[in-house]
Amino acid sequence: MDWKKEIREWLVALAGAVVAGILLTQFIIVSAVVPSRSMQDTINPGDRIVGFRLSYLFSEPQRGDMVIFRYPDDETQFYVKRVIGLPGETVEVKDGFVLIDGQPLDEPYIKEQPNQDSGPWTVPEGCYFMMGDNRNNSNDSRAWINTCVKKEKILGKVIFRYWPSLTWMA
């Protein structure tokens, strides 16, 4: 009879672990695999990253944050980009620089400025303009039909890469 108690205890522990895992991935973290070069060299194709779902529960996304969100032109896909334009701002790419309300944006995290002028775009309230760090090889707000990402479609702020090596991003 002792083995039945042992099996029951293992099943309870296993069920608890499954429930904890589901709660963790549905409400606390979001995991993603980076499929493209759009964020290179910050994160690379094949990198696995984790975002914190509660980052924007009591605050707003900040310019420069890397976020995981539902792609506005096909919400079944998750994208990873950097927040560039905030609600109410005008974003433009001109002469190799990203301009926010006419002022050049300081972006130490990118190695190559955009090579094509585009915009301007005015970011609606409650939305964000996203761009990849690899500006000349990124499918981002500049090319989308639905240009900006609504705050409620942001799934989490990228906090670390766990593959191929552990790297804190936030």
Side-chain angles (χ1 to χ4, degrees), residues 48 50 159-169:
R48 287 167 169 74
V50 170
I159 54 174
F160 66 87
R161 175 181 58 207
Y162 64 92
W163 180 263
S165 62
L166 183 62
T167 307
W168 291 97
M169 313 294 278

Side-chain angles (χ1 to χ4, degrees), residues 61-166:
Q62 301 297 306
R63 186 180 343 278
D65 288 356
M66 281 190 299
V67 296
I68 302 170
F69 57 92
R70 293 189 181 279
Y71 173 45
D73 292 343
D74 178 0
E75 292 189 2
T76 64
Q77 296 183 49
F78 290 0
Y79 268 38
V80 178
K81 302 286 182 208
R82 200 173 288 276
V83 175
I84 298 299
L86 304 176
E89 294 180 335
T90 299
V91 180
E92 184 175 10
V93 178
K94 190 171 185 178
D95 299 326
F97 291 96
V98 175
L99 306 175
I100 303 295
D101 294 332
Q103 299 301 309
L105 184 58
D106 179 33
E107 299 182 285
Y109 41 81
I110 66 169
K111 67 177 185 176
E112 184 177 72
Q113 292 291 345
N115 59 16
Q116 186 174 2
D117 291 355
S118 56
W121 300 272
T122 300
V123 183
E125 288 302 316
C127 296
Y128 298 87
F129 192 90
M130 306 291 186
M131 293 177 80
D133 287 1
N134 188 357
R135 295 291 157 78
N136 295 313
N137 292 293
S138 179
N139 176 23
D140 54 34
S141 286
R142 297 170 291 170
W144 301 337
I145 295 167
N146 298 297
T147 306
C148 295
V149 176
K150 295 177 182 175
K151 182 183 177 188
E152 62 267 17
K153 301 301 179 180
I154 296 175
L155 302 174
K157 179 179 179 180
V158 175
I159 54 174
F160 66 87
R161 175 181 58 207
Y162 64 92
W163 180 263
S165 62
L166 183 62

